Structure formats: C-alpha cells, structure tokens
Amino acid sequence: MTGRPFTTTPTRRTILKGMAGAGALAAVPRFVQAQSSEPIRIGFQLHRTGIGASYGRWYERTASAALKVLNEAGGINGRPVEILFEDDGTDPKRGAEVVEKLTTQSNCDLVMGTLFSHVVIGSAPRAGELKVPYLVCSEGHHVASGMLNRWTLQPGITDVKSQVQGMAPFVSSNLGKKVTMIFPDFAFGHDHRDFFTAAMAAQGGEVIQQIAIPPTETSFTRYFPQIPSDTEVIYHVMVGPAVLTFVKELGEFYGSGARPQLFGFIDSLEAVDINSPGLEFLDGSHFWEGHPRYKQADASEHETFYRDAVGVDDNGASVSDPADIATYAHMFSTWETLFVIKHAMEAAGYTGPADRQKIVEAIEAMTGFEEGQAHPQGPKVFNGKTHQAFGLQSITKVEGGKLVRVHQTSMEDGFYPDEVDYTTMSF
C-alpha cells in the first residue's frame, strides 16, 4: 500500500492517534440548532430478497440500531437522520434501478448498502452517472482494484484480497500446502480464487483444484468427486440460502473416515447454527471471521455495546430468538459505515446535495478509525487513494459447539500495493 504512513504493525492503543473522537460517540443533546431542520436522508440498497436475503435482514437490523444510536447522540450536524431501505433483490440490474430511485425519487443525500459483489459492480456506474456517493458494505476487490469510480467507496469493511493475504500464512503453516478451493461462480468467488491462489503460492503452497459452483445451486454432492485425493486442505467459501445444505453434504461425502483439513470463510456458515444436526464433522475445523460471531473472552466494552444495541446474544443469535443466527462477520460494516458518513458530513460542513462531492473528498482525506463504539470490530487504516479500508482478521476454530478465536492477523498482514488512485479521477 503505497503512500501510507504505517510501515510497522500499529497497536490498538496507538493506531491512528490523529483520529481521536472517531471511535467514540459523545453524549450530547439530542439535536442542536442547525442551518436546516430537514432530516438527512440516507438511501440503503438492501438485499431484502434473493440469495442475499439473510444478509439483508441483518444489515437492515444493524443499520437501524446504528441509526438509533446516532440520532440519540445528536444526529449529523445537528440534523436528524433517516434511512430509506429499498430492496435490490440481490440483482445487478435492479440494484442500479434502486440507486437511481433512492437518489432521484426519494431525494436521498447519498446511498449506502449492499453486500454481493455482482450487485455492487452493476450499481456503481449508475451512482457515478448520478454523482451520488455510494458507500458499499461488500468485500470484493472491485473498489480497490480501480474497476469502479470516484463516487464509490468501501470504508467500513476489508476486501477479499486483504483478507486472504492475511489468512494464507496460517493455512500454509498449520493446515497444509495442497489446497482444493470450492467457491461461488461470480465476482466474489473469483476474487477468492485469484487472490488466495496467489497468496498460497507466496507461502510455498499450491491450489491444486478450483471448483466453481453456481451461487443458486441447491445440491452439491456431484461436485465433491472433483476433489483430488492428495488434497490436504479444503478451502470453502459458499453463499446463499443453500449453505447449510453445502456443509451437510460435504460432511456426508467424507463420512467418519479421513478427510482433508477444512478451512472455511464464515460465509459458508453465515446465519447457520453450527450446532445444527449434521454439522458435527465441522468440529476442529477453522473459519475466517471478520467479526467473531461468538463473544470472545477478551471482547472490548465497545463490542459489548454494539451487541446490546443490535440485539445479539453472546452466541451470535438474536436475543429474542436463539434460532435466528446473525450474519455477524459482515453486518458490522453497515454500523461502521454509517458513522463514517457522520464524520465525513461533519468534516465537509454538509448542507445538502450540492455538497455531495465534498463528502467523497472528506472520506478520501481520512487515514483510519480508532476502535470504539463507532468502530466495534476494531481499528482500521483507510486508504483514500484506493477508497478501501484495511483491518484485523480473525481465524476461529470450532470447539465445543462454538467458534473460538485462535489467531488474529496484524494490520500490515493485509496491506498490498495500490492499484488505483481515485483522487486523480474527475468527478
């Protein structure tokens, strides 16, 4: 990552000293006198239906909880804030239509949201044409690669390239060097395919087989014979409503006999109870988690505040329904992105749509965020040139029906050279 001031691993205490205040929410009067009493309207592009629906439901719940906290602390620039949710059906074409509707019909000041990479890629061009800030809570490398435009930013979550670069040394050193990858056959899965293959090669490992599966697939058994017999590690990252079927069928395929080590991105288990019948074979396997689902023994007070605000128990389920499992590894991004918007609008002196460009420029000027109530997942470095956040990653192990963190990456583990400088592009 060129041009960044961080050349060594920063500590939680010292990282980003210049961002004091960005991680905490001050207790202030509910609303102070502002130039306008008109609410700030934030459009939220939501996967309410389609293959991303389980994520969308928790993205909405998390964003709504963050909104409550934000407004109780005085809103933005003394103005109340509203979020207008609009379903994109987890569909790229509909996604672009949602961005347009939220901007032109609902008169939103900016648009935030969505997770699935193909929807982001299909929607970002329209945001650029409308000249509206588009803050995505995705993980794909599409933003930092330079594929999109200056109006599209990802400040609230790390990208796949950074994640797998941090994970590969652990996999290679602890699990094995010959890997078979199983991934969804669309942009997000292709990022995993490309970047993990490269990251393992850098560690002296090798991806010996790549198995791409359509994201709408409902049964997976016919794919498993493609796994070579000399595979040491199965790396799996599946998405969508059939993820429980995927992990169950993988277990049935191997039965009680010998099998390769399993390393999964938690996407293969998001919104799924790991104690579900048929998942016993996952015991002892490892997962990547952006934000550990089970409350860890060293959880910070900010993590506790966040869980309580969203309504998630220590096991990562809804406090009102223990069977309702959160998409915990991803949904924090909506919370954190909302507070990035707050700080950007305040730094820009935002008054209305005529100041939209100032929001982008204000975010580009940011260098990162301290861990705090506004950023409970942990500290982050933000690269204004690439519009991408970098943070800490967790590897957890299934032990006793829970996910227990056994490794956390350093910040610099995920750094890579810049591939774009959006700040040189015109608006």
Side-chain angles (χ1 to χ4, degrees), residues 31-188:
F31 295 108
V32 298
Q33 186 63 39
Q35 288 182 324
S36 171
S37 59
E38 181 76 9
I40 288 174
R41 296 183 180 87
I42 295 175
F44 199 113
Q45 182 187 23
L46 186 72
H47 300 331
R48 187 169 276 155
T49 57
I51 62 173
S54 60
Y55 290 94
R57 185 164 55 85
W58 280 98
Y59 268 37
E60 182 172 3
R61 182 168 177 169
T62 305
S64 297
L67 179 68
K68 182 176 184 292
V69 171
L70 185 150
N71 276 329
E72 287 178 348
I76 297 176
N77 286 331
R79 294 168 60 184
V81 181
E82 299 176 352
I83 295 181
L84 285 71
F85 296 95
E86 188 73 28
D87 180 25
D88 64 16
T90 326
D91 175 76
K93 181 177 183 296
R94 188 167 167 185
E97 294 167 353
V98 164
V99 169
E100 179 165 5
K101 179 180 178 181
L102 289 169
T103 305
T104 63
Q105 297 182 33
S106 301
N107 299 315
C108 291
D109 295 276
L110 54 74
V111 178
M112 67 174 286
T114 207
L115 172 65
F116 274 58
S117 302
H118 62 310
V119 182
V120 172
I121 293 169
S123 303
R126 191 65 187 123
E129 293 166 354
L130 294 167
K131 298 186 182 300
V132 61
Y134 182 46
L135 282 79
V136 298
C137 302
S138 183
E139 290 178 299
H141 185 57
H142 35 262
V143 177
S145 71
M147 178 188 294
L148 304 180
N149 55 62
R150 194 168 180 180
W151 293 95
T152 306
L153 308 101
Q154 189 159 255
I157 192 168
T158 57
D159 71 328
V160 168
K161 183 173 182 177
S162 179
Q163 292 164 4
V164 301
Q165 189 171 292
M167 300 298 106
F170 180 92
V171 174
S172 176
S173 298
N174 296 278
L175 304 181
K177 294 187 180 296
K178 291 186 176 181
V179 182
T180 288
M181 296 187 67
I182 305 175
F183 55 89
D185 194 10
F186 71 106
F188 170 71

Side-chain angles (χ1 to χ4, degrees), residues 189-221:
H190 299 163
D191 277 353
H192 276 270
R193 174 198 64 196
D194 297 342
F195 298 128
F196 188 75
T197 297
M200 280 299 292
Q203 299 298 318
E206 180 185 7
V207 173
I208 60 174
Q209 179 67 291
Q210 299 172 346
I211 303 174
I213 299 179
T216 54
E217 185 64 270
T218 58
S219 182
F220 307 89
T221 302

Side-chain angles (χ1 to χ4, degrees), residues 383-397:
N383 187 336
K385 292 181 178 180
T386 65
H387 288 189
Q388 179 62 55
F390 293 80
L392 308 178
Q393 313 296 335
S394 292
I395 294 178
T396 54
K397 185 177 182 180

Side-chain angles (χ1 to χ4, degrees), residues 197-276:
T197 297
M200 280 299 292
Q203 299 298 318
E206 180 185 7
V207 173
I208 60 174
Q209 179 67 291
Q210 299 172 346
I211 303 174
I213 299 179
T216 54
E217 185 64 270
T218 58
S219 182
F220 307 89
T221 302
R222 65 189 178 92
Y223 295 94
F224 298 144
Q226 298 178 39
I227 301 171
S229 60
D230 58 342
T231 296
E232 296 173 348
V233 184
I234 293 175
Y235 175 111
H236 59 96
V237 51
M238 295 303 296
V239 295
V243 290
L244 179 58
T245 302
F246 169 76
V247 287
K248 278 187 173 181
E249 291 183 353
L250 184 61
E252 292 167 357
F253 177 76
Y254 281 105
S256 58
R259 60 166 170 80
Q261 293 287 328
L262 299 177
F263 181 83
F265 264 58
I266 200 64
D267 308 59
S268 296
L269 211 64
E270 280 283 50
V272 173
D273 186 347
I274 64 171
N275 293 298
S276 300

Side-chain angles (χ1 to χ4, degrees), residues 361-410:
E361 292 171 330
I363 296 174
E364 289 175 341
M366 296 177 178
T367 57
F369 318 105
E370 291 183 339
E371 182 177 9
Q373 287 184 1
H375 299 279
Q377 187 267 348
K380 291 175 182 64
V381 169
F382 183 72
N383 187 336
K385 292 181 178 180
T386 65
H387 288 189
Q388 179 62 55
F390 293 80
L392 308 178
Q393 313 296 335
S394 292
I395 294 178
T396 54
K397 185 177 182 180
V398 182
E399 295 180 347
K402 294 188 176 184
L403 290 156
V404 180
R405 183 165 55 209
V406 294
H407 178 72
Q408 186 174 56
T409 66
S410 69

